[in-house]
Amino acid sequence: MISNATFGTLKALYHTFGCKLNFSETSSVANELAERGIYRVAPGETPDIIVVNTCSVTALADKKCRQTIRSFHRRYPDAAIIVTGCYAQLNPDEAINLPGVAVVAGSDKKAQLATLLDKFIREHTPVNEVIPSKEMTIFSPSCSRGERTRYFLKVQDGCDNWCTYCTIPAARGRSRSATVAQLIKQVEEAASEGGREIVLTGVNIGDFGKRSESPERQTFLDLIRALDAVEGIDRYRISSIEPDLLTDEIIDFCASSRAFMPHFHIPLQCGSDTVLKLMHRHYDTALFRSRIERIAAAIPDAFIGVDLIVGARGETDEEFQRSFEFVKSLPITRLHVFPYSERPGTKALEISHVVSQEEKHRRADIMLHLSQQKVETFAKSFIGTVRQVLFETADSHGFMSGHTDNYLKVKAKAPHDAENTIIPVRLLDVECRPGEDPCIYGETVTTR
């Protein structure tokens, strides 16, 4: 039993829900526990500890978290389960009473899991360590290796916006950041480990600079300028940035920078000004269009992903049609579509017009079909061109897979030692499957 064990003899299993930021933080937790002698379980081994980093973006996310925790307890009844992340922050009393749960740690306590686990082992009683989000003041750094070639760098946490449909400010606390100097150090370490590509993550990264330890206010533009100068890193991607914080200066810098890729991810949420006001978003469709058109003019080959919520309270049939026509008119690449989910305690519950579940899914299907058309058109427009591909993985048929600078998935015949190498590839043919991003087959232009 874990209550009689010492750290050096324990093994852990990690399970993560949700966003890239969560995955980055889980990796940092695993590294920190490894420094205390708690290593990941090997295939077939039984874990002593299970760390579940949760999400609470929808009611379904909450349900999946609970189901997974119960499933882990049935499978490993003697394991101590640690629950952290947004679900734990918003529902700590519910989480601590789930079977097998030894520790519940709030969103700002992920860096303290070893200490909390030690307390559980010492005192033989469950630990519930969650503080109100408004009291979260500490920024916990994280730079972790994801896939074989890609690192995730946490630059910011929390959000001050309080959109009416969203619980993230309550789950993550106020916006706060690292300093540019701290992040440069982490990036230099990633480069020394062989990292080629880094994804900048956070809750609202365009808000970078708020509540950091820097004596003077630093901006997101300051950050990307400094990162671009770090030797050894060939590619940066911006995970997501709010349209009202994506300035002309940021777009123009990315257009001319050494390492920032022609790839943007921008949340729209709805293409209706009426619904955007109900959501308390900080922009309108005119501003959003201006950002997209600025990117298209400055970086014509940019991949532009857009988040969209369908079926939000207040989205009548007419407003949905406006949203559809607006999105259809934009020169964007791909939609990430989410049916609206009711969240307890949000202001959106005061909006009277409710969309049925059936209608939400109908609208999602319409938007996803539009997305499929746009991304396939985008991919096909590059057939016959040569793009730089960072190869990531090999399959059993001699193909290496990777992504172009503008985030098109590519397969090409290449030696297995091409992993983590950037090679020019001529794009020859597109494979399109319903519900999936296109895959482009190509041939390497030069041999290694």
Side-chain angles (χ1 to χ4, degrees):
M1 296 291 289
I2 187 172
S3 58
N4 298 318
T6 59
F7 269 23
T9 64
L10 301 176
K11 294 187 179 296
L13 182 155
Y14 298 90
H15 190 91
T16 306
F17 290 95
C19 59
K20 289 184 177 70
L21 180 56
N22 263 11
F23 280 86
S24 173
E25 291 172 333
T26 297
S27 183
S28 294
V29 167
N31 292 339
E32 188 156 335
L33 291 185
E35 291 177 1
R36 302 284 294 271
I38 303 175
Y39 297 99
R40 288 181 184 268
V41 291
E45 290 185 329
T46 299
D48 305 291
I49 300 159
I50 301 171
V51 178
V52 183
N53 193 359
T54 61
C55 174
S56 190
V57 69
T58 64
L60 181 60
D62 286 352
K63 181 179 179 181
K64 287 182 177 179
C65 291
R66 292 190 295 269
Q67 289 176 335
T68 298
I69 292 165
R70 292 188 177 103
S71 176
F72 276 137
H73 178 64
R74 288 193 297 269
R75 187 174 179 185
Y76 306 111
D78 292 332
I81 301 175
I82 299 174
V83 184
T84 188
C86 292
Y87 169 71
Q89 178 68 38
L90 294 173
N91 303 279
D93 294 336
E94 181 177 272
I96 199 69
N97 286 306
L98 290 172
V101 173
V103 175
V104 172
S107 294
D108 65 329
K109 305 296 181 184
K110 294 178 184 180
Q112 302 171 30
L113 293 189
T115 300
L116 299 178
L117 177 62
D118 193 32
K119 182 179 180 181
F120 168 75
I121 294 173
R122 186 174 62 252
E123 299 179 2
H124 309 299
T125 186
V127 177
N128 192 347
E129 192 74 21
V130 176
I131 64 172
S133 60
K134 63 182 179 182
E135 296 178 17
M136 295 181 188
T137 58
I138 298 172
F139 178 84
S140 300
S142 173
C143 183
S144 60
R145 195 162 196 158
E147 297 90 350
R148 290 175 173 83
T149 63
R150 190 173 291 122
Y151 279 71
F152 295 93
L153 177 68
K154 176 182 173 182
V155 304
Q156 180 273 343
D157 202 348
C159 185
D160 295 339
N161 285 349
W162 289 100
C163 298
T164 57
Y165 58 86
C166 185
T167 59
I168 293 302
R172 284 277 185 174
R174 296 192 297 171
S175 181
R176 54 203 187 275
S177 311
T179 66
V180 171
Q182 290 167 338
L183 296 170
I184 291 296
K185 182 179 179 180
Q186 290 178 292
V187 168
E188 289 174 341
E189 291 174 356
S192 70
E193 295 171 3
R196 304 296 298 273
E197 179 172 305
I198 291 181
V199 180
L200 308 187
T201 67
V203 175
N204 188 5
I205 64 176
D207 224 12
F208 176 84
K210 277 190 175 179
R211 303 182 186 95
S212 78
E213 296 176 1
S214 173
E216 56 186 30
R217 176 67 193 270
Q218 299 173 318
T219 68
F220 188 68
L221 182 60
D222 295 330
L223 173 63
I224 61 177
R225 282 174 172 164
L227 294 179
D228 200 55
V230 177
E231 294 183 2
I233 300 299
D234 299 288
R235 294 182 167 190
Y236 293 99
R237 298 190 190 275
I238 300 170
S239 62
S240 179
I241 185 166
E242 293 285 311
D244 54 309
L245 300 176
L246 179 58
T247 63
D248 288 350
E249 291 78 12
I250 292 172
I251 294 170
D252 292 344
F253 177 79
C254 291
S256 61
S257 76
R258 175 190 66 85
F260 276 83
M261 295 295 96
H263 179 198
F264 291 85
H265 190 116
I266 310 168
L268 169 61
Q269 310 307 16
C270 187
S272 155
D273 285 330
T274 298
V275 178
L276 288 176
K277 287 180 181 178
L278 291 173
M279 289 177 164
H280 287 186
R281 299 294 284 166
H282 290 210
Y283 54 87
D284 58 15
T285 54
L287 185 145
F288 193 89
R289 182 183 293 279
S290 73
R291 300 299 81 207
I292 299 300
E293 291 179 347
R294 179 81 181 203
I295 294 170
I299 318 172
D301 55 353
F303 186 109
I304 306 175
V306 171
D307 286 342
L308 196 69
I309 296 171
V310 295
R313 285 202 176 207
E315 188 185 70
T316 62
D317 292 344
E318 293 76 16
E319 299 307 330
F320 171 73
Q321 190 61 35
R322 287 191 181 92
S323 183
F324 175 80
E325 295 297 338
F326 176 73
V327 172
K328 184 179 179 181
S329 72
L330 295 173
I332 60 176
T333 309
R334 186 180 188 274
L335 296 171
H336 299 260
V337 182
F338 305 91
Y340 168 72
S341 177
E342 305 273 47
R343 308 305 296 132
T346 57
K347 289 285 187 180
L349 299 182
E350 299 173 7
I351 301 169
S352 59
H353 180 83
V354 177
V355 180
S356 70
Q357 287 297 115
E358 182 181 20
E359 178 62 14
K360 289 177 192 176
H361 291 298
R362 188 189 75 85
R363 294 179 186 181
D365 287 342
I366 291 171
M367 289 296 193
L368 288 170
H369 181 69
L370 175 62
S371 176
Q372 194 76 28
Q373 291 176 326
K374 284 183 173 290
V375 73
E376 288 181 9
T377 299
F378 180 79
K380 290 174 181 177
S381 71
F382 293 97
I383 294 303
T385 66
V386 174
R387 308 294 298 193
Q388 299 293 321
V389 175
L390 174 57
F391 284 112
E392 300 161 11
T393 57
D395 65 21
S396 59
H397 303 291
F399 283 95
M400 289 290 297
S401 296
H403 286 85
T404 63
D405 52 347
N406 61 343
Y407 208 60
L408 291 169
K409 183 179 180 181
V410 171
K411 286 187 176 182
K413 291 283 187 179
H416 284 200
D417 63 356
E419 182 182 298
N420 205 28
T421 302
I422 298 174
I423 299 175
V425 175
R426 180 171 286 105
L427 309 182
L428 301 176
D429 190 30
V430 180
E431 179 182 73
C432 299
R433 297 180 179 179
E436 298 180 10
D437 281 346
C439 179
I440 299 180
Y441 286 87
E443 61 181 7
T444 57
V445 174
T446 58
T447 57
R448 295 177 64 251

